[in-house]
Amino acid sequence: MFNNLFNSIDLKGLHLKNRIIFPAMGTKMAEEDGNVSQQIIDYQVARVKGGCGLNMSEVCSVHKASAPKGFLAIHSDSLIESHKKFTEAIHNAGGKCGVQLWQGSLASSLDPSAEILVADDFKYGKYTIPKISVEKIKEVVDSFGEAARRSVEAGYDCIGFHCGHNYLPHSFLTAGMNNRDDEYGGSLENRAKFPLECIRAIRKNIPNDMPLIMRVDAHDDYFKNGLTIDDIIKFCLMAKEAGVDALDISRGNMITPGLKYEVPPIDIPNGFNVENAARIKKETGMVTIAVGRINTPKLADEIIADGKADMVVVGRGQLADPEFCNKAKDGKLDEIVYCVGCNQGCYDGFTDPNVPFITCLRNPLLGHESDDFISKPTEKKKVLVAGAGVGGLEVACLLKEKGHDVVVYESSDHTGGQFLTAGKAPRKNEMLLAAQSYEKKAERLGIEIHLNTPVNAELIRKEMPDEVVAAIGAVPIKIPVDGYDNDNVFSSHDVLNGKSVPFGKCVVIGGGLVGVETAEFIKENLDLDVTIVEMNDEVAKDLGAIRKICVMESLSKSNIKAETSARLTRIGDGFIAVDRDGEEEYILADSVVMAIGAKAKAHDEIKNECEKLSIPCHVIGDTKRARRAINSIREAYEVAGEI
């Protein structure tokens, strides 16, 4: 199946079995000194065994003084040995691997002890970072060459050169960041001098038949005087002459809202960058790799079939399911666990200092590939799962796969819970499909699901299970203010699920994730005048950085107003009253939608009956404490591992 995608390809002396690349993505799994950890090896090998054609290491520092701790590095000979273990493991598993050589420029600031190198003077908070000297430029160029030499010695099959995302080579290339008045600034040819010198240094230190792949932005986003696609095409032709064999066409940068294209969330269309790759391929005649939310086999195959690219990157698609490639090739499309672009575990997890390494909403086993997390039980048990949200269905499926007998009871008339409701918001259809996929998986496994049947003491006594999992979810929080029970007041969940229809001038109370998405839904589907009222000093405060960029841009484009630092005090006839800095203010409101959060559903009856009957009761997800789906699914895995 998908013969175009799974057709082999030769890059110089490298033969690849298919057209799928697992790209360089930060994991926080590297050793602090830059060595490859066993955790990274296990993580990568799982994707090799899953059928991927080419695995790239995550970005790998080439210059010691500017190498941030906790990132892979290959700036010293002492690091070669761990890279050898990495390449040997990949090869022993039947794969091919490349190393992505990198100088991070401003990204090095993630480590306060690392030197920050910038193409031109750059204002950074209160300080100005001075531009890199010509002498230091030569030092970094030599570092790229030496890193390439070490990469060959370590056994890599190809080399990647990162010339995008505002890292140092890209920062030199773009006039948006480079206003130097020496030989490295001014014209495109001058600005291209540093990255071209790096390319030549790499090429000089690797075999003639070893492919050199360059990652480059298709054009600059949100940059004044930034690179156009015409500039990039001219540069790629220069790079081709300098020794680059293939182009990895990315997009985005880390210092503007263009970050949304670097790690594109669910808000960005699938394959949004493919046409750029197609044009660059056509006008350069080079082997070209398409990147950007390519997370279904059908889309990936069509890109190859239509000649828009020679290969495709499937990154987060393989985070969500390490068996993505094998399942696609075998036509097991319903079994693929698809990435939904939530960014919660991969990007938000990477930037959160409290998270040890990246994870995935749909795959909590990410980073735990060597753990015997879901071992077969020594004793087959009957397990009753209360609640058919994604947490309940996930734990039910995991327990069934372990060999237990599982039955699920759900109080409402549908499965999916709040995950299904969230999927009704604008731009989130993939989340809706994911919610539905949990039910389909449960059906494939033969799990009984009883709808419109709440779990109570009588039901537990009737079923007499060996263990119970309480996953009954949460309910909206109520604010005890005058007018809360008026006929013109609705819950955000009822609005998103189509059970209630706001009208006239509409005010949404609550500017968190649910509130802003509900406001967007109302504007898009009912075209009402919508105002968000939030008691904190900003809206969308609980969104990750990249999703927040997208949502805030959408609110602005849709003319949805936001009143912040405003606490609801009462709901009147045609208005609401808010307290702002001790003063009462009034906002016109024909209808009011409450989106102020949720609290765990009461599960005392379930818990007490289990205690009475000496049945172990496990509580997961929102039933423990209202949070996000990523928590529910992770706890489902933890509980499944215990039973």
Side-chain angles (χ1 to χ4, degrees):
M1 199 168 187
F2 304 116
N3 293 334
N4 300 288
L5 186 61
F6 289 98
N7 189 23
S8 64
I9 186 172
D10 291 315
L11 297 178
K12 279 206 161 181
L14 177 61
H15 180 76
L16 299 173
K17 64 184 178 182
N18 62 46
R19 309 296 183 99
I20 302 171
I21 296 176
F22 186 56
M25 292 180 286
T27 63
K28 296 199 292 191
M29 297 180 197
E31 302 288 356
E32 186 172 325
D33 61 3
N35 274 297
V36 183
S37 66
Q38 186 60 46
Q39 186 182 28
I40 285 178
I41 292 172
D42 295 337
Y43 151 81
Q44 289 270 3
V45 165
R47 277 78 196 167
V48 174
K49 292 180 177 179
C52 189
L54 174 64
N55 286 54
M56 298 298 294
S57 76
E58 57 197 83
V59 292
C60 199
S61 296
V62 301
H63 182 247
K64 188 171 185 178
S66 61
K69 291 184 179 69
F71 283 70
L72 282 186
I74 198 159
H75 52 60
S76 304
D77 287 354
S78 61
L79 298 164
I80 295 174
E81 192 58 36
S82 74
H83 284 273
K84 279 185 178 178
K85 291 179 181 178
F86 175 76
T87 61
E88 287 170 1
I90 297 287
H91 293 150
N92 289 338
K96 302 291 184 181
C97 56
V99 58
Q100 188 168 90
L101 304 184
W102 175 74
Q103 200 297 316
S105 188
L106 292 170
S108 297
S109 64
L110 292 169
D111 175 8
S113 68
E115 185 177 13
I116 302 174
L117 304 178
V118 290
D120 202 354
D121 295 345
F122 185 82
K123 188 168 177 57
Y124 190 71
K126 298 178 181 178
Y127 308 99
T128 296
I129 305 171
K131 65 187 175 186
I132 183 174
S133 68
V134 172
E135 291 73 24
K136 181 72 75 170
I137 289 172
K138 301 300 183 186
E139 180 182 313
V140 175
V141 169
D142 290 342
S143 295
F144 271 101
E146 284 296 290
R149 173 187 61 79
R150 296 184 190 101
S151 300
V152 173
E153 190 174 337
Y156 283 102
D157 301 297
C158 65
I159 303 293
F161 170 58
H162 207 316
C163 192
H165 301 174
N166 277 151
Y167 301 138
L168 194 59
H170 176 220
S171 297
F172 266 89
L173 187 62
T174 176
M177 292 194 73
N178 180 358
N179 292 292
R180 296 174 70 105
D181 56 7
D182 61 9
E183 61 187 303
Y184 290 97
S187 67
L188 177 63
E189 288 73 19
N190 282 6
R191 300 196 311 271
K193 187 175 180 180
F194 170 67
L196 291 175
E197 287 177 350
C198 295
I199 291 166
R200 294 188 187 103
I202 294 169
R203 188 80 258 174
K204 182 180 177 181
N205 284 278
I206 65 177
N208 289 334
D209 65 346
M210 177 177 276
L212 174 54
I213 302 170
M214 179 173 71
R215 168 157 275 205
V216 66
D217 286 0
H219 55 75
D220 283 339
D221 291 286
Y222 297 89
F223 261 165
K224 184 179 180 181
N225 300 322
L227 293 160
T228 67
I229 192 169
D230 292 312
D231 294 329
I232 290 296
I233 289 168
K234 289 176 185 175
F235 170 68
C236 287
L237 289 170
M238 298 180 207
K240 179 180 183 181
E241 187 176 340
V244 167
D245 302 297
L247 302 171
D248 179 1
I249 308 300
S250 188
R251 199 167 147 197
N253 60 76
M254 59 183 164
I255 62 172
T256 77
L259 180 65
K260 68 182 182 181
Y261 297 121
E262 189 174 330
V263 191
I266 194 170
D267 309 84
I268 306 296
N270 298 98
F272 67 94
N273 203 33
V274 170
E275 293 306 321
N276 288 328
R279 181 180 168 193
I280 292 169
K281 170 180 166 61
K282 180 180 179 181
E283 297 194 28
T284 63
M286 298 176 70
V287 172
T288 303
I289 301 159
V291 181
R293 295 245 306 132
I294 302 169
N295 58 5
T296 68
K298 183 176 184 292
L299 174 59
D301 192 74
E302 287 173 353
I303 291 166
I304 306 298
D306 293 343
K308 294 181 177 180
D310 301 285
M311 302 185 73
V312 295
V313 162
V314 179
R316 288 173 297 164
Q318 292 189 78
L319 295 185
D321 193 338
E323 288 288 322
F324 178 97
C325 299
N326 286 340
K327 290 176 181 177
K329 187 176 182 181
D330 294 341
K332 298 178 179 178
L333 304 187
D334 287 344
E335 295 183 21
I336 295 175
V337 179
Y338 290 99
C339 167
V340 295
C342 71
N343 280 17
Q344 291 178 31
C346 52
Y347 183 81
D348 297 346
F350 182 79
T351 56
D352 186 342
N354 298 313
V355 176
F357 51 86
I358 66 168
T359 184
C360 177
L361 181 151
R362 305 220 64 200
N363 177 21
L365 296 185
L366 177 60
H368 297 278
E369 282 78 10
S370 65
D371 297 350
D372 188 15
F373 203 69
I374 305 292
S375 57
K376 293 295 181 182
T378 56
E379 176 189 357
K380 187 175 182 178
K381 294 181 177 179
K382 179 179 180 181
V383 184
L384 187 156
V385 177
V390 294
L393 291 179
E394 185 73 90
V395 74
C397 291
L398 290 167
L399 290 169
K400 185 70 173 181
E401 288 172 331
K402 283 184 70 170
H404 293 302
D405 287 331
V406 185
V407 61
V408 178
Y409 286 91
E410 166 60 40
S411 62
S412 73
D413 61 358
H414 63 274
T415 67
Q418 293 191 55
F419 203 72
L420 184 73
T421 301
K424 307 256 179 93
R427 306 182 302 280
K428 294 181 74 174
N429 187 60
E430 288 164 88
M431 201 164 280
L432 179 68
L433 295 175
Q436 294 168 344
S437 74
Y438 286 97
E439 180 178 5
K440 292 177 181 177
K441 182 178 181 181
E443 289 174 351
R444 285 199 307 273
L445 293 172
I447 297 172
E448 290 182 26
I449 301 176
H450 301 271
L451 300 178
N452 300 306
T453 312
V455 174
N456 53 29
E458 181 183 355
L459 181 60
I460 293 171
R461 289 193 300 272
K462 176 185 174 184
E463 286 284 356
M464 284 305 294
D466 298 304
E467 308 219 17
V468 169
V469 179
I472 58 176
V475 293
I477 294 172
K478 292 186 176 182
I479 306 177
V481 297
D482 289 343
Y484 185 92
D485 294 325
N486 291 354
D487 291 341
N488 66 332
V489 180
F490 313 108
S491 80
S492 58
H493 290 184
D494 284 347
V495 170
L496 290 170
N497 287 322
K499 295 181 178 179
S500 299
V501 181
F503 53 89
K505 288 186 179 296
C506 178
V507 172
V508 176
I509 306 297
L513 170 65
V514 177
V516 295
E517 290 189 338
T518 302
E520 286 189 273
F521 176 88
I522 294 167
K523 187 68 176 179
E524 183 176 295
N525 291 276
L526 303 174
D527 195 26
L528 301 183
D529 182 333
V530 184
T531 299
I532 299 170
V533 172
E534 167 58 42
M535 66 184 297
N536 290 311
D537 59 358
E538 62 177 299
V539 299
K541 205 167 187 175
D542 58 342
L543 271 73
I546 299 181
R547 281 227 63 221
K548 185 173 182 177
I549 290 170
C550 298
V551 168
M552 294 306 291
E553 287 183 337
S554 176
L555 293 182
S556 176
K557 185 178 179 181
S558 302
N559 294 316
I560 294 173
K561 299 178 287 293
E563 298 287 348
T564 56
S565 301
R567 181 176 59 84
L568 178 70
T569 56
R570 60 192 172 102
I571 300 172
D573 184 10
F575 72 93
I576 65 166
V578 300
D579 178 278
R580 185 143 47 189
D581 297 327
E583 298 288 332
E584 189 172 63
E585 297 181 12
Y586 301 93
I587 298 173
L588 295 178
D590 298 307
S591 58
V592 178
V593 178
M594 307 302 293
I596 57 171
K599 63 178 181 179
K601 281 185 180 177
H603 59 283
D604 292 346
E605 184 177 2
I606 295 173
K607 181 181 176 182
N608 293 338
E609 189 64 22
C610 286
E611 287 181 358
K612 189 186 301 182
L613 298 172
S614 298
I615 297 172
C617 180
H618 310 267
V619 181
I620 67 171
D622 286 352
T623 314
K624 180 183 292 186
R625 179 166 55 88
R627 290 157 296 159
R628 292 184 173 187
I630 192 170
N631 305 105
S632 298
I633 295 171
R634 186 188 68 246
E635 289 166 5
Y637 273 77
E638 291 170 352
V639 166
E642 295 173 8
I643 298 177

